């Protein structure tokens, strides 16, 4: 009888320790800074697709954009991210090297990069009607 009681207490202490470590780890992971998505415009230098689902527009990966003044930025592109290329909205799997694009995305590196402003969908639509064309158009 006493042995079962001691086993129960030890099991309870073990479970409490496990939960404490698990919740502590989860708290640290959720506190990690996440880069904010912002607008980037430039020419595609590289496209990397990490994985795709079975449905269209479910690819995720990254792309490297060459920006003004010779800057390059590596961007994380989650599945379903819409990218403006010329007069059309496309997804990661439809891009080619050399395309001139505008995209709302977060940089892979934590240092602030980008055009320094947020874009609204109305501004993106105005860009779509502009005379700027991608090489693929």
């Amino acid at each position: 009888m006493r042995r079962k009681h001691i086993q129960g207490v030890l099991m309870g202490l073990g479970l409490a320790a496990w939960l404490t470590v698990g919740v502590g780890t989860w708290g640290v992971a959720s506190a990690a800074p996440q880069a904010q998505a912002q607008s980037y415009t430039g020419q595609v230098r590289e496209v990397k697709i990490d994985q795709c689902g079975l449905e269209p527009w479910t690819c995720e990966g990254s792309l490297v954009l060459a920006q003004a003044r010779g800057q390059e930025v590596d961007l994380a592109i989650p599945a379903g991210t819409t990218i403006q290329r010329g007069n059309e909205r496309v997804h990661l799997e439809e891009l080619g090297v050399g395309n001139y694009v505008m995209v709302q995305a977060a940089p892979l590196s934590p240092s602030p990069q980008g055009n320094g402003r947020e874009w609204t969908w109305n501004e993106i639509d105005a860009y779509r009607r502009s005379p700027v064309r991608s090489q693929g158009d």
Side-chain angles (χ1 to χ4, degrees):
M1 179 82 159
R2 184 174 172 104
R3 182 176 175 195
K4 286 188 179 189
H5 177 68
I6 291 173
Q7 282 179 338
V9 169
L10 290 175
M11 187 177 292
L13 287 173
L15 180 61
W18 181 73
L19 286 173
T20 301
V21 170
V23 169
T25 303
W26 177 71
V28 169
S30 66
Q34 299 294 319
Q36 285 283 53
Q38 56 181 324
S39 180
Y40 295 89
T41 303
Q43 190 173 27
V44 176
R45 291 284 189 232
E46 181 181 327
V47 178
K48 179 181 175 193
I49 296 177
D50 295 328
Q51 70 178 40
C52 291
L54 298 175
E55 298 295 318
W57 309 304
T58 57
C59 292
E60 61 183 56
S62 61
L63 61 91
V64 177
L65 277 187
Q67 297 183 293
R69 296 180 295 278
Q71 294 176 314
E72 285 194 352
V73 60
D74 296 340
L75 300 172
I77 308 295
T81 299
T82 301
I83 302 165
Q84 188 74 31
R85 178 181 68 189
N87 290 333
E88 60 185 339
R89 291 192 175 130
V90 298
H91 293 88
L92 183 64
E93 59 270 27
E94 299 170 284
L95 287 181
V97 172
N99 291 157
Y100 189 79
V101 299
M102 181 189 306
V103 61
Q104 291 273 105
L108 289 175
S109 65
S111 61
Q113 301 171 351
N115 297 357
R117 66 175 285 208
E118 295 292 321
W119 289 78
T120 65
W121 281 113
N122 288 337
E123 291 172 312
I124 292 172
D125 286 336
Y127 167 81
R128 182 177 57 139
R129 291 185 293 273
S130 76
V132 176
R133 295 279 186 254
S134 177
Q135 286 183 356
D137 293 343

